Amino acid sequence: MMKQLLALVVLVASQSFALADYRENPETKLFIDEMLSQSVASRAQLDAWFASANKQQSILDAIARPAEKTKTWAEYAKIFLTADRIDKGIAFWREHADTLAKAEAQYGVPASIIVAIIGVETRYGRNMGSYRVIDALSTLAFDYPPRAPFFRKELHNFIQLVQEQKQDPLALKGSYAGAMGYGQFMPSSFRNYAVDFDGDGIADIWANPVDAIGSVANYFAGHGWVKDGAVTSRVRVAKGFNEALLNTTFKPDTSARDAAKAGFTPVFDFAPEEMLTLYKLEGENGAEFWAGANNYYVITRYNHSRMYALAVYQLSQNIEQKYQAK
């Protein structure tokens, strides 16, 4: 009986190992053929990498319940707007003050926003993710149908990226979604926006905070950040306000003038023609109403979440106030 049990364990283990070899996945085979047709990598390289790639159930579990979709704004804010994250943001700013000033001058993106992004994403480089990027992207590209096309594109970019950067694809680690480095860039974002900000010939967002700072600033500039532009403001609502305008789009689609006519009056004094997106969140004391301008929309390009954008903005404001006061 014991021998039979051991044989069964060995059989299950061997089957699990075989399933972990992504070369046997039909979708992977098509993907490899596509890579070969574009001369992105050799057959030997691709076979070796996908033989090593492992399906990770914990990745599928994590992407099914992101904080942006499972928490209220009151709960979400408590994760990021903490005294510790603010204090560490001030320390990061002081340590990299010259680099942040250079990035702000060159790209027009406030140092406080750059610091807040890195603070929200990785606690200033302290938590850049523990998943192998090859595992994360393979799992999501071939075993997560809802967003498989997106992650196949990112896997494609990842393979191009490691070739261009001469990196070992089996060694790079990141988030469960395959995001990497201080600013948690997806591979396509790396290839489009990562910069060599210290002039050493390498764009390194994994271990070089200088390059990471420049890259985050370049990302925001590339997505339309307006220097000295408004971000977001609390909104007072009048009786009978038009609730149909709330949470409809990330991109501003209603002028401040029309928002006022619909019953929304921002606390911040926007120009009448300023385009806004109106949104409602569940705060500590109930419903909160907000208006986001162009720069708020730009933050949502980094992470498609209203709560994320508001957390970044509020963290940036808290850090800047304390930084300037000390």
Side-chain angles (χ1 to χ4, degrees):
M1 183 67 180
M2 182 60 70
K3 288 183 179 180
Q4 292 175 326
L5 180 59
L6 288 172
L8 179 61
V9 170
V10 170
L11 176 61
V12 171
S14 65
Q15 289 177 336
S16 298
F17 179 80
L19 289 172
D21 183 344
Y22 267 108
R23 291 175 307 174
E24 300 306 312
N25 185 306
E27 296 297 324
T28 310
K29 290 179 179 179
L30 292 174
F31 182 85
I32 289 175
D33 288 342
E34 180 185 347
M35 296 294 97
L36 291 172
S37 70
Q38 298 177 20
S39 302
V40 175
S42 70
R43 168 74 69 180
Q45 288 174 314
L46 292 166
D47 280 348
W49 296 340
F50 285 112
S52 176
N54 296 311
K55 177 182 176 180
Q56 299 281 355
Q57 184 60 43
S58 58
I59 290 172
L60 297 172
D61 293 341
I63 202 166
R65 48 175 172 74
E68 289 85 358
K69 292 184 178 179
T70 60
K71 297 184 182 301
T72 65
W73 165 239
E75 295 166 333
Y76 188 85
K78 289 177 182 178
I79 299 173
F80 300 106
L81 304 179
T82 65
D84 181 69
R85 205 176 298 252
I86 292 167
D87 290 343
K88 284 184 169 59
I90 293 169
F92 184 85
W93 193 338
R94 285 177 177 159
E95 183 179 357
H96 302 289
D98 290 345
T99 300
L100 286 159
K102 176 186 172 185
E104 183 168 343
Q106 182 169 328
Y107 295 106
V109 182
S112 59
I113 290 289
I114 301 170
V115 172
I117 284 287
I118 295 174
V120 167
E121 291 292 341
T122 63
R123 296 187 70 90
Y124 315 102
R126 290 172 174 82
N127 182 15
M128 290 192 257
S130 59
Y131 289 101
R132 289 197 313 169
V133 176
I134 190 74
D135 292 341
L137 293 179
S138 295
T139 297
L140 296 171
F142 305 125
D143 285 297
Y144 186 60
R147 296 189 67 194
F150 170 79
F151 285 106
R152 288 186 196 185
K153 174 188 145 190
E154 291 301 333
L155 183 57
H156 186 293
N157 275 280
F158 179 66
I159 292 172
Q160 291 180 295
L161 168 64
V162 297
Q163 298 288 73
E164 294 162 353
Q165 297 289 316
K166 296 179 173 54
Q167 296 280 348
D168 178 1
L170 303 182
L172 293 177
K173 292 186 177 181
S175 74
Y176 67 79
M180 303 171 288
Y182 277 82
Q184 292 291 274
F185 274 23
M186 294 299 289
S188 61
S189 293
F190 185 108
R191 297 187 67 231
N192 287 315
Y193 300 105
V195 296
D196 169 21
F197 207 51
D198 63 0
D200 67 355
I202 303 170
D204 177 9
I205 64 168
W206 298 282
N208 187 338
V210 174
D211 286 354
I213 287 167
S215 298
V216 169
N218 187 41
Y219 183 98
F220 273 75
H223 282 78
W225 184 271
V226 175
K227 183 180 179 181
D228 300 324
V231 179
T232 190
S233 168
R234 283 291 291 268
V235 172
R236 299 188 183 95
V237 293
K239 186 177 180 180
F241 68 91
N242 186 356
E243 193 161 359
L245 296 179
L246 293 167
N247 295 5
T248 59
T249 177
F250 291 114
K251 190 171 185 177
D253 63 349
T254 305
S255 70
R257 180 186 292 107
D258 289 343
K261 290 178 182 177
F264 302 93
T265 305
V267 174
F268 180 84
D269 193 16
F270 292 108
E273 65 278 7
E274 179 102 53
M275 298 302 291
L276 306 172
T277 178
L278 301 166
Y279 61 106
K280 173 185 175 183
L281 300 174
E282 289 302 316
E284 194 72 45
N285 299 308
E288 296 180 6
F289 298 89
W290 292 83
N294 174 78
N295 286 347
Y296 169 84
Y297 172 64
V298 174
I299 300 175
T300 68
R301 299 305 84 203
Y302 211 95
N303 182 318
H304 303 326
S305 163
R306 296 177 180 87
M307 293 193 296
Y308 175 89
L310 186 56
V312 166
Y313 177 67
Q314 290 194 353
L315 180 62
S316 76
Q317 295 299 287
N318 287 328
I319 291 171
E320 183 168 20
Q321 288 169 8
K322 286 197 173 185
Y323 180 82
Q324 301 294 353
K326 291 186 179 181

